[in-house]
Amino acid sequence: MPLHAVPDALNIVYDEKKYLALSLATAPLLAYLLVLATSIPGQTLESWWFSAPAYTKFLVFFAASVLSVILTMQVYTWKNYKKVKKRHTTGGLAGVAATLAATACCSPLLLPLAGVAGFGGFLFFVQTHQLAVVILSSLALLASLYFTSKAVSCEDCRVKAGLEKNVKNPKGA
């Protein structure tokens, strides 16, 4: 398993400044949305900062950072490859799903709503194992980042997946 896939993909994607700008713009937006998802309605950011547990704060800022990178790599792949396989998009969506599942453990609003919807037993488990859920979600985000990076940085992986690079310059140019 080539561990250099993520740094190589970051170099490829962020070589174009517009993708760096996209990543830097989406990270604060995602952090804001995750703060909203993990706070009581009407709660101020200052109040959230002092009332949220450390693992919730970690989840919000770690997930926002990693999800912005995954999103940027997905956009790069969609724009620069002729054909994008569903499994590459699904890998990025798995990171989003893992983050949303983890916010359920930290959200005073989502817990009661999901309980009313019939997910009480699952939510009791999630609530009592919040730290483990945050750790598993973080690992799922890292796996999603790795597999998204593989599609960008690994030549053999792109060929096997049918992600042929658009030819911008003819050979020898």
Side-chain angles (χ1 to χ4, degrees), residues 30-43 48 60 107-109:
L30 290 168
Y32 175 74
L33 292 174
L34 289 170
V35 166
L36 285 179
T38 58
S39 64
I40 300 167
Q43 187 177 26
W48 176 86
V60 165
S107 174
L109 176 63

Side-chain angles (χ1 to χ4, degrees), residues 43-118:
Q43 187 177 26
T44 65
L45 180 61
E46 183 180 17
S47 172
W48 176 86
W49 186 257
F50 287 109
S51 66
Y55 54 81
T56 301
K57 294 173 195 168
F58 169 80
L59 172 70
V60 165
F61 296 109
F62 179 75
S65 302
V66 175
L67 284 173
S68 71
V69 173
I70 291 170
L71 173 72
T72 302
M73 286 187 189
Q74 291 287 334
V75 170
Y76 177 86
T77 304
W78 292 329
K79 292 185 79 59
N80 290 296
Y81 296 116
K82 293 179 183 178
K83 184 167 72 171
V84 177
K85 296 280 187 181
K86 288 181 185 176
R87 67 180 175 181
H88 295 291
T89 303
T90 305
L93 293 176
V96 173
T99 302
L100 291 177
T103 59
C105 76
C106 311
S107 174
L109 176 63
L110 293 178
L111 279 171
L113 291 177
V116 168

